[in-house]
């Protein structure tokens, strides 16, 4: 039997600017997942440096910071059976050329830099990210 999990999902600035929030949320709900918390927020450099510490040394990191601070994001806690793996499958690979049709990135993204959505990659990361964006009691 599959386990019920929580995961952190973030709709990035390009998703918000392009008016795709409803489309992405619809796909999440149609898949059977429940959004148990959601808020729109504007991210600043300190929280982004914490969130993306694992890629801070990359040459393109400053461009990514600018992109992520270019507009609001939608932060969500998504719950359901095997939600972490299920959401990662629904999102599709980060590299848009590798994202198959039918996935969020395969259908909606047009570049690697503007890739619509972020999702936690493990239960440990999910809990860290949920607490980072929703507070210690989330």
């Amino acid at each position: 039997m599959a386990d019920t999990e929580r995961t952190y999902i973030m709709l990035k600035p390009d998703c918000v600017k392009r008016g795709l929030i409803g489309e992405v949320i619809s796909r999440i709900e149609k898949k059977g997942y429940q959004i148990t918390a959601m808020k729109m927020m504007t991210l600043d450099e300190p929280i982004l440096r914490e969130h993306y510490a694992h890629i801070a040394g990359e040459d393109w990191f400053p461009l990514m910071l600018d992109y992520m601070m270019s507009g609001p994001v939608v932060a969500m806690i998504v719950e359901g059976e095997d939600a972490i793996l299920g959401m990662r499958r629904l999102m599709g690979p980060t590299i848009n050329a590798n994202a198959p049709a039918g996935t969020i990135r395969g259908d909606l993204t047009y570049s690697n830099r503007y890739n619509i959505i972020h999702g936690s990659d493990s239960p440990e990361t999910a809990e860290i990210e949920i607490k980072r964006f929703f507070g210690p009691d989330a």
Side-chain angles (χ1 to χ4, degrees):
M1 177 119 192
D3 292 327
T4 298
E5 294 178 318
R6 297 188 327 155
T7 191
Y8 175 72
I9 300 297
M10 177 172 32
L11 305 185
K12 296 180 178 182
D14 57 315
C15 183
V16 176
K17 286 178 187 171
R18 291 177 56 205
L20 297 172
I21 297 169
E23 167 78 18
V24 174
I25 287 173
S26 177
R27 289 178 182 226
I28 292 168
E29 292 177 332
K30 284 178 183 174
K31 193 70 176 174
Y33 298 120
Q34 184 177 27
I35 298 168
T36 58
M38 180 170 55
K39 63 182 176 180
M40 185 174 278
M41 59 195 302
T42 302
L43 303 177
D44 60 18
E45 190 169 334
I47 199 166
L48 287 167
R49 285 194 174 277
E50 179 183 335
H51 184 64
Y52 289 114
H54 61 289
I55 57 170
E58 299 290 341
D59 292 342
W60 43 265
F61 186 71
L63 291 173
M64 194 274 311
L65 279 178
D66 289 344
Y67 156 59
M68 291 300 295
M69 292 188 296
S70 70
V73 301
V74 176
M76 294 183 279
I77 300 173
V78 174
E79 295 185 12
E81 288 187 14
D82 293 323
I84 295 167
L85 179 59
M87 278 302 305
R88 294 195 62 81
R89 286 181 177 153
L90 184 62
M91 291 186 312
T94 302
I95 306 297
N96 71 309
N98 298 335
T103 65
I104 291 167
R105 289 178 175 140
D107 293 347
L108 304 175
T109 64
Y110 57 87
S111 80
N112 295 334
R113 184 172 177 204
Y114 303 111
N115 63 14
I116 302 285
I117 191 168
H118 163 83
S120 302
D121 62 2
S122 70
E124 296 78 19
T125 302
E127 286 307 308
I128 290 167
E129 292 177 344
I130 287 168
K131 288 180 185 344
R132 178 178 296 137
F133 293 101
F134 284 92
D137 298 326

